Amino acid sequence: MTITVDLSQLVTAETKASTALEAAKVKALATVTDQISAARGVLMTDLIGQEMIYLAKEQEAKDWQESESPDLADFPLMFAEVGITASTADELAMLWLTMANQWRQTAASLEAIRLKSKSDIKSAASAEAVQSVVDAIDWPA
């Protein structure tokens, strides 16, 4: 009796390590994505179209400050909010620009973490190295 063994079906230690590495990378990338999403979520209003509103407010605030004699009627978002969030259009414009700047700074910090982590995870040579990347991330408070 002859038994034929198909050696291509054997799972080698190298194959196991490679599979473990890829699984660790997938898990680590998902963890980073989830953490970034959570950090952004703390700072964002989760309403459809709200991001567009914030961008429009920032632009109105810039336009307001650049105008020599602005007419509040020409700034519909500002017109709708003066007296609610701030007493005057000048105060509101300053508030909107300050908030946009704070968001941009935080977004830049989070984006740097996301991009660096993603790059380091993808180039990691072992599952342990992948975990070290995740463990070393300094998440903002």
Side-chain angles (χ1 to χ4, degrees):
M1 169 196 258
T2 303
I3 298 176
T4 304
V5 176
D6 182 358
L7 296 178
S8 69
Q9 299 297 315
L10 293 178
V11 177
T12 64
E14 183 179 280
T15 301
K16 285 181 183 178
S18 177
T19 301
L21 175 58
E22 289 310 309
K25 287 180 179 185
V26 167
K27 181 180 176 187
L29 290 169
T31 296
V32 169
T33 298
D34 290 347
Q35 291 286 356
I36 292 292
S37 292
R40 288 178 183 167
V42 169
L43 303 170
M44 297 180 74
T45 304
D46 189 19
L47 294 172
I48 294 172
Q50 194 63 41
E51 292 170 24
M52 292 174 57
I53 298 292
Y54 289 147
L55 291 172
K57 285 180 175 185
E58 181 181 10
Q59 189 59 55
E60 275 195 17
K62 288 177 183 177
D63 293 346
W64 176 268
Q65 287 189 336
E66 291 172 3
S67 179
E68 290 184 26
S69 56
D71 180 351
L72 193 55
D74 295 330
F75 299 83
L77 293 170
M78 190 172 286
F79 182 82
E81 195 167 332
V82 166
I84 299 170
T85 305
S87 299
T88 68
D90 288 330
E91 290 173 0
L92 188 57
M94 182 59 69
L95 176 65
W96 285 353
L97 292 173
T98 299
M99 291 171 65
N101 186 50
Q102 289 172 340
W103 163 249
R104 198 164 277 109
Q105 290 175 10
T106 302
S109 173
L110 291 171
E111 189 66 354
I113 290 169
R114 186 186 74 79
L115 294 172
K116 176 81 168 105
S117 299
K118 184 177 172 181
S119 175
D120 290 350
I121 288 166
K122 287 184 175 185
S123 65
S126 68
E128 294 78 17
V130 169
Q131 189 58 50
S132 293
V133 170
V134 174
D135 291 344
I137 297 171
D138 184 20
W139 294 105

